[in-house]
C-alpha cells in the first residue's frame, strides 16, 4: 500500500485515507468492512464504471446521472472526512 503523504506530513488523515484498504477488503469480499473503512468506495467505483459505460453507449441522461453520482460520492467523502477528523 502507498503511504499517505498528507498523513505523514501533517499527522491527520486526508479525505481519501482508507480508500486503498477499502478496495482491498472489497476485492476479498468483505463488503461491510469496506464500507466501514471508507464509505465512498462502492459509490466511487459505481460512478467510474457508469462513466465508462456512458462514454461507450451514450446513455440519454447519462451526463446528468454522472453528475448526481459524483456529487453523492463527493458528499460521502466529505462527511467521512469530517467524522474522522472530529
Amino acid at each position: 500500500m502507498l503511504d499517505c503523504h498528507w498523513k505523514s506530513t501533517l499527522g491527520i488523515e486526508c479525505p481519501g485515507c482508507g480508500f486503498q484498504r477499502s478496495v482491498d477488503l472489497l476485492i476479498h469480499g468483505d463488503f461491510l468492512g469496506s464500507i466501514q473503512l471508507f464509505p465512498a468506495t462502492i459509490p466511487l467505483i459505481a460512478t467510474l464504471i457508469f462513466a465508462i459505460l456512458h462514454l461507450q453507449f451514450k446513455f440519454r441522461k447519462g451526463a446528468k446521472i454522472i453528475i448526481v453520482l459524483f456529487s453523492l460520492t463527493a458528499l460521502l467523502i466529505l462527511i467521512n472526512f469530517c467524522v474522522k477528523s472530529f
Side-chain angles (χ1 to χ4, degrees):
M1 300 274 163
L2 299 173
D3 289 335
C4 178
H5 181 68
W6 182 320
K7 188 173 182 176
S8 64
T9 303
L10 300 176
I12 59 172
E13 292 189 354
C14 73
C17 274
F19 177 71
Q20 292 179 64
R21 291 172 286 150
S22 177
V23 170
D24 186 50
L25 289 173
L26 193 60
I27 289 171
H28 289 94
D30 187 1
F31 295 101
L32 185 58
S34 175
I35 291 170
Q36 289 174 339
L37 191 57
F38 192 74
T41 300
I42 295 172
L44 180 61
I45 292 171
T47 302
L48 292 174
I49 290 171
F50 186 81
I52 291 168
L53 290 173
H54 173 63
L55 288 173
Q56 181 68 31
F57 298 111
K58 307 288 187 214
F59 300 124
R60 189 168 12 140
K61 294 187 179 187
K64 289 182 181 182
I65 293 171
I66 291 170
I67 291 170
V68 170
L69 288 173
F70 179 77
S71 299
L72 291 174
T73 303
L75 183 63
L76 272 174
I77 292 170
L78 181 64
I79 290 170
N80 185 51
F81 177 66
C82 290
V83 167
K84 286 195 292 187
S85 294
F86 302 108

